Amino acid sequence: MKSGYKLSAGRDAITGIIVILAILMFVGTGSTVVTDAIAVLSGKAGGSDNMLVSAFLLNIALILFGWRRYKDLSKEVEERAIAEELAHSLAATDPLTGFLNRRTIGEKTADMISNAQRKQKSIAFLMLDLDNFKNVNDMHGHSAGDIVLKQVAERISKLVPPNSLLARLGGDEFACAFIFDPEQPEMVDRIADDLIDSIASPIVENGTQLVVTTSIGMSRYDFESEGVDVLMRRADIAMYSSKKQGRNRHCWFDANMEQELQTRSLLETGMRAGIPKGEFVPYYEQQVDLATGKLTGFEMLARWESPSQGLISPEVFIPIAEETGMIGDLSISIMRQAFDDAKNWDSSLTISVNISPIQLLDPWLAQKIVKLLVETGFPPNRLEIEITESSLFENLSLAQSIVGSLKNQGIKIALDDFGTGYSSLAHLRALPFDRIKIDRSFVTSILQNPESKAIVKAITGLGESLDMPITAEGIEDKDTETELRNLGCAKGQGWHYGRPLSVVQTRKTLLERNLLPSADTEEDVPSTADEIPAQKTA
Ligand code: C2E
Ligand code: MG
Ligand code: MG
């Protein structure tokens, strides 16, 4: 390419020199030769004049050649300039929406900052992320997704102040920056409110309604602020916080969010290192038959035995595992340990395992669990899987097919934390549940709060008519246990029966109750009273 350029530039230089020489010759000899040329052309002259005339005509031909080459060259330069401009604009903008791209919005925001500083104004940077865009793509295809992105871009353009910078940062993430009066930040809130309302209104395409909402994070640049990168990162952190608070909303960045993010990122790093080291282990919480007081099994609850921070609650690390995609491997690793632990316990004892909604989006989940059962030799009929109602929202038909496969193997399914969230009858009927678990928030307040009692009563009635036995979780004392038994709950669990225990402590309990086969009792079990380490909660 470069050598082509050099060649053509060399040719152009030679052409230029020839043309200049030709013009000089023309000027020098022109006046005398023109009359001779006319004579030669009309056949009135001959001899040595002919040569001069030929040179003169050649001169004219060269000038014409030069002129032609000059025209070609200017056309080429013009075309090259257009192509360069197009390449520049493609490199700076998103082809789908015509918005700036990530790199360019950064550069242009930096320019906007200097401009705003001169005028003693502030800059608002808004980061928008669509909440359920993946659903549109999955359910209606990528062309519908493109239509949504274009429509969202159009709606944003209409609502932001003139001269705002608008960008699509990739995927379903947009950004905009504009100057505002630092005394009137509420103007920015108003714009964010309008954006949220406008984006949430359905987009109708070929008779189908496509609905997306957006979460917005906002940061501001005032006179003393740091650079554009910090501004963008803060908006991003605030956007993440909007998502966490329930999506379809906006919030301003504040310093606590950054602190929270740092803690979270430390936890995430610790988790990535801790999973392969076996720091995540199963603990076991007793489940009891309320009519007979007999131990029927355990709910397996994950714990992180962190060497640096002690025992960490699943309420801290399960959400991080879900967000980072670690949940699948983490869950399988803890289940494997639990099946190994429990396979030799008394055959009447069941193990209940919590499954995250994210795991129910994995079409291979049932196969993975069955494989674990085969590998560890744990009988499927002693396993119960606990899922929450929120698992049924994302992809109900996939959840139905996974649950169908698990039930075919003889695994039982329980609906966990019922009474919180939607508590819908439709959800209860959507899957063939074997059991309903009432959320502990109703159970712990049943003696003080008549409403809680009414809810527990309604759920036990529902369970009876649907032939689904009820487990009450969070029983902390004898009176609550009696009340629940009277209301018709079949099983119970909670601190009244004991805190969740490590495998060593659980084996000790089983040994005392003669529920550990002799082969297993030979292994070490602690002789001292159980000390439950303090737990860190969110
Ligand atoms: P969950 O499934 O509702 O589990 C019951 C929670 O209630 C457990 O908290 C248990 O320790 C606590 N609890 C039990 N009895 C009482 C009581 O009498 N009073 C009070 N105040 N609390 C009681 P934990 O172990 O912190 O687990 C919290 C949640 O984390 C679980 O709620 C479950 O949703 C989730 N989780 C635990 N292990 C796993 C896991 O392996 N995978 C997944 N996906 N989630 C898990
Ligand atoms: Mg549970
Ligand atoms: Mg529960």
Side-chain angles (χ1 to χ4, degrees), residues 188-462:
V188 184
D189 288 273
R190 261 200 313 277
I191 291 173
D193 274 336
D194 292 348
L195 285 169
I196 282 172
D197 289 347
S198 159
I199 291 173
S201 76
I203 295 161
V204 181
E205 176 62 21
N206 287 335
T208 312
Q209 285 208 345
L210 307 169
V211 185
V212 287
T213 56
T214 188
S215 299
I216 305 181
M218 309 191 293
S219 61
R220 54 185 285 172
Y221 189 100
D222 297 299
F223 323 113
E224 77 290 358
S225 314
E226 291 153 83
V228 64
D229 291 344
V230 174
L231 183 72
M232 288 173 75
R233 192 164 58 85
R234 288 181 173 173
D236 203 29
I237 292 173
M239 188 273 288
Y240 178 74
S241 174
S242 294
K243 291 253 182 211
K244 237 176 109 183
Q245 286 172 35
R247 304 167 164 202
N248 194 27
R249 66 194 63 216
H250 63 84
C251 67
W252 283 100
F253 168 82
D254 83 59
N256 293 337
M257 291 177 185
E258 197 147 31
Q259 177 64 43
E260 204 178 294
L261 206 75
Q262 269 169 10
T263 314
R264 189 192 168 282
S265 127
L266 277 177
L267 282 168
E268 188 184 327
T269 316
M271 286 176 69
R272 288 196 191 280
I275 296 175
K277 287 191 200 150
E279 292 173 11
F280 290 80
V281 293
Y283 268 51
Y284 300 95
E285 178 172 313
Q286 298 182 33
Q287 292 179 321
V288 170
D289 183 322
L290 288 183
T292 63
K294 208 175 140 246
L295 177 69
T296 59
F298 296 91
E299 176 169 3
M300 187 274 273
L301 295 161
R303 295 287 181 271
W304 179 6
E305 292 180 339
S306 159
S308 55
Q309 299 181 70
L311 201 65
I312 301 178
S313 150
E315 272 160 356
V316 174
F317 63 80
I318 295 284
I320 300 178
E322 288 177 337
E323 279 164 33
T324 54
M326 288 188 253
I327 186 70
D329 290 345
L330 180 64
S331 172
I332 291 288
S333 129
I334 302 172
M335 262 194 259
R336 180 186 290 282
Q337 300 174 57
F339 296 163
D340 250 337
D341 290 342
K343 68 180 174 218
N344 291 329
W345 298 350
D346 191 89
S347 62
S348 65
L349 297 173
T350 57
I351 293 290
S352 299
V353 170
N354 294 284
I355 290 292
S356 144
I358 308 285
Q359 290 175 274
L360 279 168
L361 296 174
D362 173 7
W364 297 101
L365 179 67
Q367 282 82 344
K368 288 177 185 170
I369 294 177
V370 172
K371 185 166 172 267
L372 265 189
L373 292 171
V374 172
E375 285 170 2
T376 55
F378 189 82
N381 61 352
R382 286 177 54 200
L383 175 62
E384 185 172 80
I385 296 285
E386 293 189 6
I387 62 179
T388 52
E389 264 183 303
S390 51
S391 305
L392 311 180
F393 299 146
E394 282 271 333
N395 192 338
L396 179 60
S397 54
L398 182 55
Q400 282 169 327
S401 112
I402 292 172
V403 164
S405 308
L406 293 171
K407 287 209 65 154
N408 281 340
Q409 300 292 323
I411 298 166
K412 310 257 182 341
I413 310 293
L415 183 56
D416 201 3
D417 301 342
F418 195 69
T420 59
Y422 282 72
S423 312
S424 112
L425 200 58
H427 289 152
L428 268 179
R429 296 179 54 164
L431 288 182
F433 292 108
D434 297 288
R435 159 175 309 281
I436 302 172
K437 294 187 72 175
I438 304 181
D439 189 69
R440 72 166 186 266
S441 55
F442 305 110
V443 175
T444 42
S445 59
I446 195 168
L447 297 176
Q448 301 83 38
N449 186 341
E451 253 176 46
S452 297
K453 185 170 167 181
I455 289 172
V456 172
K457 208 168 167 183
I459 297 177
T460 47
L462 198 62

Side-chain angles (χ1 to χ4, degrees), residues 112 115-116 119 121-124 161 163-164 177-181 187:
M112 189 182 246
N115 193 7
K119 297 181 190 156
K121 299 272 186 202
S122 296
I123 286 186
N163 302 326
S164 294
F178 51 85
I179 294 177
F180 72 100
D181 183 345
M187 165 249 188

